Each structure stands twice: as C-alpha cells, then as structure tokens.
Amino acid sequence: MAFVRLRTPLALLGAAVLVLVGPPLLTTGSGAESGTQIPGLRFMVPNTPGGGYDITARTAAKNAEDAGLTHTVEVFNLPGAGGTVGLSRLVSEHGNGKLAMSMGLGVVGAVRSNDAPKTLADTTPIARLTEEQDVVVVAKDSPYKTIDDLIGAWKDDSGKLPVGGGSSPGGPDHLAPMLMARAAGIPPKQVNYIPFDGGGELLASILGNKVAFGVSGVGEYLDQIKSGELRLLAVTGPKRVAGLDAPTLEEAGYDVSFTNWRGIVAPPGLTDAERDKLVRLVEALHDSDEWRESMKRNGWDDAFLTGEEFGAFLDAEDKRVVSVLKELGL
C-alpha cells in the first residue's frame, strides 16, 4: 500500500481535523443521526436481579447498544418496598435527563399498598414497552401435576397453602392469584399470599417448596420451565403462550384473563429536549430488529405507548388497581 507524505503545516492541520472529526461520523451510526445518544445514561431497576424489571432493563440496554442507538448504558438495582424505594430515588433526581427507571403494574400497586409518599404522577412518563402473561408454576417435584390438582388442594385449605408472587399487594403477581381464587370460589381474604421483591427472589422459594405455587411473568421463568426445573400449570392471559404446553386459566374453566405490562419513567423536571431525547431513544429501540427478537424470545407482546398517552394510561391503571382491590375486598 502506498502512503502520501504530508509536507505542509496546513496539510498537517487538515489531517488532525480528520482524526478528530472523522471517526465519530463513521462510528456513531444511527444513534447520532436520529439524536438518540445519551452519554452517561443510567437505568434503575427498582427490585432485585432476575426479576421482570431487571430482565427488561438489561435487555433494553443491551439492544440499544447493539443497535448503535446509544452506548455504555449503566443498569443498577435499587430494590425495596415493591419498587417504591427506587421510585422515591427517581423523583428526588429532579431534572436528571440521564436517569430512567424500569417499572410496571407492580409499582402502581406498591404505591397504593405501601401508601408511598411519591407516586408515578410525580415522574416523567416515557413509554410503555411490553405486555406479558403471568404463569402459574410449581417445583418439578410438586404433587400438583395440573391446574385442577392445585385448585382442588387450594380449595380444601386455602389459608394454609402459601402462594408466592414477585410483587407487593396490588401488583400483578398479587392480583392474578386473587382473581384465580375468586374464580375458584375461594374468598380472596383467605389467600395466604407471600410477597417477594421480584421474580428472582421468588424463584428460590418455589424451587425449595417454601410456597405451594408461584405466580410471575412468563419471561422471568422461561428458562426454568424449558429446563424442567419448574412445572408450568397455566397461563393467565387470553391465549396460550407459543412454545409452552399449558392451558389458559379460561381454558381450564376459571374465569380469569389477566396480563401485566412494563415501561419506563424518568425523573420530574426534565426539559422538553431531555424528555424528547429519551422518547426518541425508546422509539428507535422499539423499531430495532434487536428488540423485536428479544420480545419474541421472552414471550413479550408489543404494547408500545409513549409520552402523554402513557401518562394517561398510568393514571387509569392507578384507578383500576384501586377498583380491583375494593372489588376483591382487599
């Protein structure tokens, strides 16, 4: 290969400019072109590693990086009180356009059940990302082979048969078994529900038979179901999950159709430009091949909604949780 020697100061200056300017134009790709790069972006997970918020946040961060939309996103966990510890931290970061939080229906319920001083109305809504079904699972050595086996034993002694969920009262993993109980003729107030701070914490108790059964998001336990560590008895949504051999609760004769959702919120006090950049990043993520593949792999359904529409949805969900809890006598 032949090299051309630069002989003049002007040529040397031009070369320096090319070194400084050239690489970013060549390497930042679609993220630079669409205005999605947020250097120093941090993504908070308000529960323990291995739960649905954690899986969603880490998947979104990796997919955004792989698609060249932004770089070096830091994901960190701040668990406690069903997500309200993280929520309080988020709200305290007023005006921080480089922080976002993974959340969902569980945080809506936790705010109510913990009478939290900060609510989702104090945040900046960014986007609802996914919807997914809950799964009803037992350990591989459980005596319950079918959903009817489980419900039968539950009806015989509902107070002593513990059910675990990865959310506080009012969250999806609490509401789903309560709706199951009502459909089976079990008074919801008699249900022995044990809350865990995310599906990761719950898993050990299911595998150790410390709870009779567990309820959590399908994406959290796909690997354990497919490996045979967990036995899947039913799914809570309106249709079967592709690739999994289990009926819906409705198919099994129990009038329950329930799904969970997950999304992203940011601190209050963002400028319009900061909020819009976060929304653009999530819109580009939603349209990426990487994210589509992740949704398929995790059994997530697309439920994309951004900005003010997502804010209106959050308000409606808060009212729905209150209504369901009252309806169930809880």
Side-chain angles (χ1 to χ4, degrees):
M1 180 182 293
F3 291 90
V4 178
R5 200 175 228 179
L6 300 173
R7 299 180 182 278
T8 67
L10 183 60
L12 290 172
L13 177 61
V17 170
L18 285 171
V19 168
L20 291 172
V21 175
L25 291 175
L26 294 171
T27 61
T28 52
S30 60
E33 293 161 10
S34 60
T36 61
Q37 294 286 340
I38 306 177
L41 178 62
R42 304 179 76 215
F43 207 169
M44 184 198 304
V45 176
N47 63 8
T48 53
Y53 301 149
D54 188 69
I55 293 170
T56 303
R58 294 182 190 280
T59 301
K62 184 176 188 307
N63 288 170
E65 291 174 357
D66 290 348
L69 303 175
T70 193
H71 299 286
T72 59
V73 181
E74 178 191 350
V75 181
F76 68 100
N77 298 77
L78 185 62
T84 56
V85 170
L87 175 62
S88 180
R89 162 71 180 277
L90 186 84
V91 174
S92 75
E93 295 272 349
H94 190 276
N96 185 351
K98 296 188 176 185
L99 179 65
M101 186 178 85
S102 176
M103 49 74 68
L105 179 56
V107 176
V108 178
V111 166
R112 285 292 176 179
S113 62
N114 291 302
D115 196 21
K118 302 300 181 183
T119 75
L120 290 163
D122 298 313
T123 69
T124 299
I126 300 301
R128 184 182 69 189
L129 291 175
T130 63
E131 185 176 46
E132 72 170 339
Q133 305 198 39
D134 267 357
V135 290
V136 182
V137 292
V138 295
K140 63 182 179 182
D141 57 351
S142 167
Y144 311 120
K145 309 294 185 185
T146 67
I147 189 65
D148 286 333
D149 290 344
L150 173 64
I151 297 291
W154 202 15
K155 290 173 74 172
D156 288 341
D157 202 349
S158 58
K160 289 186 179 179
L161 202 73
V163 50
S167 59
S168 296
D173 302 348
H174 171 250
L175 294 177
M178 294 302 164
L179 293 168
M180 283 173 55
R182 184 181 65 176
I186 300 168
K189 283 187 176 181
Q190 291 181 12
V191 173
N192 180 13
Y193 177 76
I194 301 175
F196 294 83
D197 205 354
E201 279 194 358
L202 170 63
L203 180 61
S205 288
I206 300 172
L207 294 175
N209 291 306
K210 294 182 179 176
V211 293
F213 68 103
V215 177
S216 195
V218 60
E220 295 172 73
Y221 292 161
L222 265 180
D223 289 344
Q224 291 79 13
I225 291 168
K226 289 182 176 179
S227 71
E229 289 181 85
L230 293 177
R231 181 183 301 139
L232 176 60
L233 302 184
V235 297
T236 66
K239 60 182 181 181
R240 290 191 176 215
V241 175
L244 297 181
D245 184 20
T248 67
L249 288 169
E250 287 183 326
E251 278 184 77
Y254 305 99
D255 187 16
V256 177
S257 182
F258 181 87
T259 56
N260 184 19
W261 57 267
R262 296 196 178 94
I264 300 171
V265 292
L270 301 192
T271 65
D272 288 349
E274 289 171 327
R275 181 201 60 210
D276 292 347
K277 180 165 271 196
L278 281 167
V279 171
R280 280 199 306 272
L281 172 59
V282 178
E283 286 175 338
L285 171 69
H286 171 258
D287 291 340
S288 71
D289 292 338
E290 289 83 354
W291 181 249
R292 291 192 187 98
E293 178 57 34
S294 292
M295 285 201 302
K296 181 179 178 182
R297 185 174 62 252
N298 287 292
W300 297 336
D301 293 322
D302 192 9
F304 198 60
L305 197 65
T306 61
E308 292 180 3
E309 289 183 331
F310 179 44
F313 171 79
L314 288 177
D315 183 57
E317 283 294 271
D318 180 56
K319 291 180 172 64
R320 182 170 77 97
V321 166
V322 172
S323 174
V324 171
L325 289 173
K326 284 182 178 178
E327 182 185 338
L328 294 173
L330 300 171

